[in-house]
Each structure stands twice: as C-alpha cells, then as structure tokens.
Amino acid sequence: MSISIDTIHILLPEQKFLTLDERKGFVDLKTGDLKYSEGYSRNIKVREFNGYTKIECSLPRILNGDNISSLNYHEILRALETVSEHFGICIRGGIIKRIDLFSDIQCDYEAKNYFRYLGDSKNYKKRFPVAETSLYYKNAISKEMYFYDKIKEMKSREQYIPKEFINKNITRLEVRYKTFLKNILKRNLTVSDLYNPESFLKLTTCFINDYRSIHKENKAILDFSKASSKKELLNQLAIAGIESLGGTQEVLEMIDASRTLTLDLVRPEYFSRRKAEIKEIANSPYFVRKVQLIEELDSKIEIAYQNTINHVTNNKSII
C-alpha cells in the first residue's frame, strides 16, 4: 500500500500534434468562434485552446494499462518520461493544473460499511454520500476528496480487473487537487517539481492531512463508575443519545436542517456553537472508543503514507 498519482493535467505552451485520433472542435454558440479542440493519442487526452496545450492522462494507465495498480515514486517519474517521449517534447516545464493522489486500501469489508463513520472535515465545506457507493467531500474548485469502492466502479465501467484484485474489498481514497496546488509551494506547481522528492512528499502530506481532518465516529461507552460529576453523567447519556440518533454526522445534519427552518429567528453562530459542542462531547476520551472499522482504515492509510515516505527517502517499506 502506498500513496500514488492517478490523473494529471499538464498545461504547456501550444504544441502542434498532427496525429491525434478522434479530433473534434468545440464552438462558442454565441460568437461562433472555436473555443478549443481536443483529441487522443493512445489513452492520452490533448486539448488545444488560446495558445496552450493541455495533456490529460492517468499515469498508471500509461505504464500498466489500468489505474488500480499503484505506482511507486520512481514509476511515477518513468510514466512522466513515457508521456514526454511519446510526444517527443519536454513536459517538465508544464504547469500542473490538476493532480489526483490516491491510495487503494484492501479492507476487511466493502467500502460502504466505512462511510457511516466518516463525518465532516474541517478542510472541506461540503460532505455528501452518493447512494451507497461513494462519499464525496468538496471545497469549491480548490480540491475534492472521494471514498469509493474501486472494484464496483471498474465493474460498472466494464474495465479489466487484474486477477489479484478479483473478489477483494478495495476502498479507494482519492484527493483531487486543483487550484489548491498553488498553496503547496506558494507558486504554480510544475512537472519538474515532481522530480524533487521533497516536493512530492509535500503532496503526500497534504493527502494524509486531508484524511486526518475528517471527524471519525466513535462508539459510546456507558460506564457510570466513571461519572464523578453530574456533568460527566450527562455527557455519557448525551453520547449514548447521539449514537441512538444515528451518530455524530446524523445529529450535525439535524442541526443544519433546523438552522434552515429558523434562519430568521436564531443567529447563525448559535448553530456553529451547538455543532462544536456535539463534536466535543462525541470525542470525550473517557466515554467513547474508536470504531473497529475506523481503527482498521486509519491504520492502513497511515501505513500507506509511511510506505510512501520510506520508498521516496530510502526505498524501504513496512508491511
């Protein structure tokens, strides 16, 4: 397990590619002017517009033909070189407009079983599940975080599944960085930066910090011998009540719903305080314990992060 790169979008000064397949143009309906044209070369998408060329591709697909086989750091660089050699151009000066970091975690259970225990995140403004298959976190156009069942996605798209992944529970954690990329080095991130191990590790640190920013649901422990005061007794009962209502995230969503109904009667900060209080109670170290599924997910994602650091720095890996 490790943290790797899947999709990458690279912006370059205009390039002239004469052999693109399925080339087509898109016209502005108001002016009749050509907005952009795009086409494909192998499984690499090329878009041309306003004196620029943008290359969009999945690095695992470049090397392995699928995007479930994770690439280590040196394989990521080899995939970038393959793109460069394929077009006969240097892409190192290209600006990265989007980069998707991911980790495929082989879990004990299907992905949907973990979503209930993953609450909101201080790094993202919106959290919303999609049926039982995915859990999305969004922050405008800056960045997005996704949890989903990778094998189900591949089956729905009728994609080839390598035999080592058949009948496995693979939960993918994917973070899609867009305009947020300028925050990492306080400037545009370029392909050349990926060749610097320190810059690459800064990306993986953003990835793990986004995961860590999620509020994880806990399990209530009713132990009245630990209630040495009325406040502690009420907190124990409150934690049990939160759990009976469906968990912290469910209660937070109830508060948001009541905020909509009383928008003109109660100041907005009232609801923010109530939500903060719910989180504080739900995380009391004396009256809760971690849910087993979250312990598993936390452990495996942290191992993926540490594996990545070890590989980049000294090519060592932990199991």
Side-chain angles (χ1 to χ4, degrees), residues 29-47:
L29 296 179
K30 292 182 179 179
T31 65
D33 296 331
L34 180 67
K35 292 173 64 178
Y36 63 90
S37 64
E38 65 181 33
Y40 292 84
S41 182
R42 279 178 39 185
N43 50 4
I44 304 171
K45 184 177 181 179
V46 176
R47 180 173 290 192

Side-chain angles (χ1 to χ4, degrees), residues 49 56 108 138 177 201 208 214 219 236 266 272 318:
F49 59 98
E56 306 175 7
D108 295 340
K138 291 202 173 187
Y177 293 110
L201 288 177
I208 194 66
I214 298 171
K219 182 76 175 173
Q236 277 207 57
V266 183
S272 298
I318 60 176

Side-chain angles (χ1 to χ4, degrees), residues 83-306:
V83 173
S84 187
E85 292 167 3
H86 176 71
F87 289 113
I89 60 172
C90 179
I91 64 171
R92 290 200 183 196
I95 297 172
I96 299 173
K97 303 300 289 184
R98 170 182 151 186
I99 193 167
D100 298 0
L101 269 65
F102 77 96
S103 187
D104 284 329
I105 309 299
Q106 184 171 325
C107 293
D108 295 340
Y109 304 95
E110 290 186 34
K112 64 181 181 181
N113 292 291
Y114 299 81
F115 297 162
R116 177 194 185 283
Y117 304 105
L118 297 170
D120 59 5
S121 162
K122 62 184 180 182
N123 290 358
Y124 292 83
K125 294 181 179 179
K126 295 181 180 179
R127 170 197 182 275
F128 54 96
V130 177
E132 293 184 339
T133 59
S134 308
L135 179 62
Y136 290 177
Y137 294 80
K138 291 202 173 187
N139 203 8
I141 61 172
S142 172
K143 57 182 179 177
E144 303 165 357
M145 179 163 54
Y146 303 83
F147 292 85
Y148 59 95
D149 189 317
K150 183 60 182 175
I151 301 301
K152 282 190 175 180
E153 182 214 43
M154 296 179 76
K155 286 180 179 178
S156 68
R157 295 182 177 181
E158 298 183 346
Q159 295 175 345
Y160 168 73
I161 301 173
K163 62 181 181 180
E164 61 266 30
F165 295 105
I166 294 175
N167 297 324
K168 297 289 177 33
N169 295 315
I170 306 296
T171 296
R172 170 165 288 201
L173 167 56
E174 180 175 305
V175 185
R176 186 174 297 171
Y177 293 110
K178 300 177 185 176
T179 59
F180 177 83
L181 289 169
K182 288 185 178 181
N183 298 331
I184 296 173
L185 298 179
K186 308 304 179 186
R187 59 170 172 78
N188 285 325
L189 190 72
T190 66
V191 174
S192 183
D193 291 320
L194 297 180
Y195 287 79
N196 180 342
E198 291 185 4
S199 297
F200 178 77
L201 288 177
K202 284 183 179 180
L203 273 171
T204 63
T205 298
C206 291
F207 178 93
I208 194 66
N209 285 343
D210 278 330
Y211 173 74
R212 291 170 179 167
S213 75
I214 298 171
H215 170 78
K216 314 298 195 308
E217 193 74 51
N218 291 311
K219 182 76 175 173
I221 301 174
L222 281 177
D223 184 354
F224 295 117
S225 66
K226 294 182 178 180
S228 59
S229 67
K230 180 180 178 180
K231 180 181 178 181
E232 289 184 351
L233 174 62
L234 292 175
N235 278 348
Q236 277 207 57
L237 295 173
I239 291 169
I242 290 169
E243 188 171 291
S244 70
L245 289 170
T248 307
Q249 188 61 35
E250 194 73 25
V251 173
L252 295 178
E253 290 174 4
M254 290 177 186
I255 293 174
D256 286 335
S258 65
R259 176 179 179 174
T260 304
L261 294 173
T262 59
L263 196 58
D264 298 329
L265 303 175
V266 183
R267 295 171 67 87
E269 54 266 29
Y270 169 85
F271 297 98
S272 298
R273 286 197 295 268
R274 297 296 82 79
K275 290 174 73 172
E277 290 163 357
I278 291 293
K279 290 179 184 179
E280 181 182 356
I281 292 170
N283 286 320
S284 170
Y286 302 108
F287 308 129
V288 298
R289 60 177 172 80
K290 268 192 174 183
V291 176
Q292 183 179 352
L293 274 71
I294 290 300
E295 285 185 331
E296 177 205 355
L297 197 61
D298 280 353
S299 172
K300 290 179 176 178
I301 291 176
E302 293 290 343
I303 287 173
Y305 176 56
Q306 195 60 53

